[in-house]
Amino acid sequence: MTHGVRTDTHSPYVEGGRGWRDTATRYALLPLRVFLGVTFIYAGLDKLTDSAFMKASGSGSVGDLMRTVRDSSAIPALVDLSLKNPAGFGYAIAFGELAVGIGVLIGLLARLAALGGALISLSLWLTMSWASDPYYYGNDLPYMFCWVPLVLAGAPYWSLDALIKRRRDRSVWR
């Protein structure tokens, strides 16, 4: 702020203000946040509400799914670890997806949530979709890379993180 003139306005009509390109750049990650947040919330809820999924064996169970991909995964030891308690692993993934989705969608600890999403996607790529040939038929690798911009940038707009930061900044200046 200089001599009582606001320079922090978002109006494109104010000299020194920002135009539509700056606004588009500022909010460019918002559609990615919404997509990944909703998708991961849906994935977590889908697993939690599927009575067959959270079982150690049987059609559609996480146990049978993990046994099916074990020999084609990049890290069979990771699959073996999940097979020690398939239902526990299923719940861990489902609740992890929910936490990541909610965190990114509302922008609370967004970088940490995005890192969690990247790690979930990486683990699924190394186990579930590793054998996809060609590699781009598997969806876990692109999901992993979709999380990277959110890990780097966080959720600086339309988020609880931004609200908390604004309140903290205001209290510092009082």
Side-chain angles (χ1 to χ4, degrees), residues 10-172:
H10 298 292
S11 171
Y13 303 105
V14 174
E15 186 176 336
R18 297 178 176 151
W20 68 269
R21 287 184 181 151
D22 288 334
T23 301
T25 300
R26 186 177 315 108
Y27 297 111
L29 292 179
L30 192 57
L32 186 60
R33 268 182 55 207
V34 171
F35 170 75
L36 290 172
V38 168
T39 299
F40 268 54
I41 290 170
Y42 175 69
L45 290 175
D46 188 47
K47 288 173 181 66
L48 290 172
T49 58
D50 183 349
S51 60
F53 183 77
M54 294 298 179
K55 294 187 177 168
S57 62
S59 180
S61 70
V62 66
D64 279 2
L65 181 61
M66 297 312 288
R67 280 187 282 282
T68 301
V69 301
R70 192 231 177 256
D71 292 333
S72 63
S73 75
I75 307 176
L78 189 59
V79 178
D80 290 340
L81 183 63
S82 72
L83 286 170
K84 289 183 180 193
N85 184 353
F89 173 73
Y91 280 110
I93 290 292
F95 285 122
E97 288 171 336
L98 274 175
V100 163
I102 292 168
V104 167
L105 190 61
I106 66 173
L108 181 61
L109 302 172
R111 282 190 171 110
L112 181 61
L115 179 61
L119 291 174
I120 289 171
S121 296
L122 175 63
S123 68
L124 292 175
W125 175 57
L126 291 172
T127 56
M128 305 295 290
S129 59
W130 178 257
S132 297
D133 187 32
Y135 74 92
Y136 51 81
Y137 280 165
N139 63 351
D140 297 310
L141 184 61
Y143 271 101
M144 185 188 75
F145 281 103
C146 285
W147 286 110
V148 171
L150 296 176
V151 170
L152 297 174
Y157 301 101
W158 289 16
S159 68
L160 290 176
D161 287 347
L163 179 67
I164 292 166
K165 182 182 181 322
R166 272 196 312 274
R167 287 194 175 166
R168 188 177 37 222
D169 290 349
R170 276 191 219 137
S171 68
V172 168

